[in-house]
Amino acid sequence: MAIQNRISNRFDGTDDMALTLLDNMIWPILAIVIAAILVLAPQTFRNFRSIELILWAAVPLGLLVLAESLCLLSGNFDLSIGSIAGFSAIFTGMLLGSCPSCWGVISNPFLGFAIIVLVGATIGLVNGVMIGKFGLNPFLQTLAFLIIFQGAKTALNTQPISGLPDAYLYPGGEPWVAIGIMLAAFALFGYVMKFTTFGQAVYAIGSNEKAARDVGINTERMIIAVYTISGILAAIAGLMITGFTGVVPPLIGEGLVFQAFAGAVIGGISLFGGRGMITGALGGVILIEVVRSALSNTASVGATEIQMYNGIVLLVAILLYSTQSKLRSRILASGAA
């Protein structure tokens, strides 16, 4: 019996190690990709400044991936985060900017910070109420808001908004301030999701919403909170893009939602909720940005082809996720047998 127990423990340990490796699969993948880029496109990492630029450019996407990851972990998703980032940035830019069509009614940058966050939080709150309280399908609700706020953004302004206060541009315009904000956000939500009742409740809802409700979790309130936080993070992403470019570009936020999905999925966040780690999502962000930078530094890849390669990255992410899920199910099934 003792020998059987030792054998059983050994296999249990092996299974645990395999599951841990699957949960952190993004890091060895990232290491392999970086090694390949060092060989095939070494100019991508030619100096410290190039690495700084990669991380700096990753900041808006990182915040959107974080927003999408929270929604996915709760068993939902948000198609509107790119539009929220764009609309909140355009709306606040119209209030602060000095372009011909701008309203220019305020000049205090701190009031601008408050307004852009409030706009994102309000849109996220409405998303959450419609999904959590009234039971609307997350796909239909967030798709509607994607279209509405993308159209509203265009209706407000179709020209770059300039003349913004320097202090308003500072958080996204200083590389290590912006990178620090992204890393701090991932560290904060990594801690919250792992060590707080809020984080455990989000995982519980994502795993089984009915069971979570049965054990006393207010699922409606939690979903509203998740979407509100998602809206805030999306708005801050809009602020970071504004600081990075120095203006509010008219196409701000467009096309980022699919990259946010890719970053979350590559990082190991389950599409079906309840599983995945925030630190893995950060790995997904870095991987996407490193690949994009390598493509931009490759002479044989034109600027018009990068979107196609981004789609291929998304397809690879889906294949990786599918493989990971199958391996996990196989390991768990062998352990239960």
Side-chain angles (χ1 to χ4, degrees):
M1 181 63 74
I3 294 175
Q4 288 178 340
N5 286 338
R6 282 202 296 272
I7 293 173
S8 175
N9 290 336
R10 180 180 175 187
F11 278 102
D12 286 345
T14 304
D15 288 351
D16 288 343
M17 189 181 299
L19 290 173
T20 302
L21 183 61
L22 282 176
D23 289 339
N24 295 279
M25 196 168 61
I26 179 62
W27 300 110
I29 290 174
L30 181 59
I32 292 169
V33 169
I34 289 175
I37 291 173
L38 284 171
V39 174
L40 300 173
Q43 65 275 20
T44 305
F45 304 113
R46 58 186 175 277
N47 52 38
F48 179 77
R49 177 62 176 167
S50 62
I51 297 172
E52 181 185 73
L53 282 173
I54 291 172
L55 293 175
W56 187 17
V59 171
L61 177 62
L63 293 167
L64 291 177
V65 167
L66 188 53
E68 197 63 68
S69 296
L70 289 174
C71 293
L72 287 171
L73 287 172
S74 72
N76 296 279
F77 54 85
D78 191 346
L79 294 174
S80 64
I81 50 174
S83 291
I84 296 174
F87 177 79
S88 56
I90 289 275
F91 181 82
T92 311
M94 296 286 287
L95 293 172
L96 283 167
S98 57
C99 63
S101 57
C102 287
W103 304 319
V105 294
I106 61 173
S107 58
N108 188 326
F110 298 100
L111 188 56
F113 295 147
I115 290 172
I116 194 170
V117 170
L118 182 62
V119 172
T122 302
I123 299 172
L125 174 67
V126 176
N127 262 336
V129 169
M130 299 300 281
I131 294 167
K133 187 75 175 175
F134 297 107
L136 262 64
N137 183 291
F139 176 84
L140 298 176
Q141 168 60 33
T142 58
L143 177 64
F145 268 22
L146 180 156
I147 297 169
I148 290 170
F149 287 103
Q150 193 162 303
K153 182 187 67 176
T154 306
L156 282 177
N157 193 8
T158 57
Q159 301 295 322
I161 298 174
S162 57
L164 298 163
D166 290 340
Y168 182 76
L169 299 174
Y170 182 80
E174 286 295 321
W176 286 104
V177 173
I179 295 167
I181 289 173
M182 178 182 71
L183 295 179
F186 272 93
L188 173 64
F189 282 97
Y191 177 85
V192 167
M193 296 305 292
K194 190 169 185 178
F195 296 109
T196 69
T197 53
F198 173 82
Q200 297 306 306
V202 171
Y203 275 106
I205 294 171
S207 297
N208 189 323
E209 186 171 345
K210 182 178 182 304
R213 195 179 300 116
D214 290 342
V215 298
I217 296 174
N218 189 327
T219 57
E220 291 181 1
R221 189 180 300 171
M222 292 300 299
I223 290 173
I224 292 171
V226 164
Y227 274 99
T228 303
I229 294 170
S230 173
I232 292 172
L233 289 169
I236 297 174
L239 177 66
M240 294 295 111
I241 297 172
T242 303
F244 184 75
T245 58
V247 297
V248 185
L251 298 179
I252 182 171
E254 292 188 13
L256 288 177
V257 63
F258 300 111
Q259 294 179 40
F261 264 105
V265 173
I266 291 172
I269 304 294
S270 171
L271 284 171
F272 303 103
R275 198 174 69 245
M277 293 189 293
I278 294 298
T279 51
L282 177 61
V285 173
I286 296 173
L287 178 64
I288 287 178
E289 202 58 45
V290 165
V291 170
R292 183 159 55 187
S293 180
L295 291 173
S296 300
N297 283 290
T298 303
S300 59
V301 178
T304 56
E305 300 170 0
I306 290 181
Q307 184 68 20
M308 178 185 70
Y309 285 106
N310 283 335
I312 294 174
V313 170
L314 179 58
L315 178 61
V316 171
I318 293 169
L319 292 173
L320 281 174
Y321 171 77
S322 176
T323 304
Q324 183 194 35
S325 297
K326 288 177 181 175
L327 288 173
R328 168 179 280 278
S329 299
R330 195 171 299 169
I331 292 171
L332 292 175
S334 66

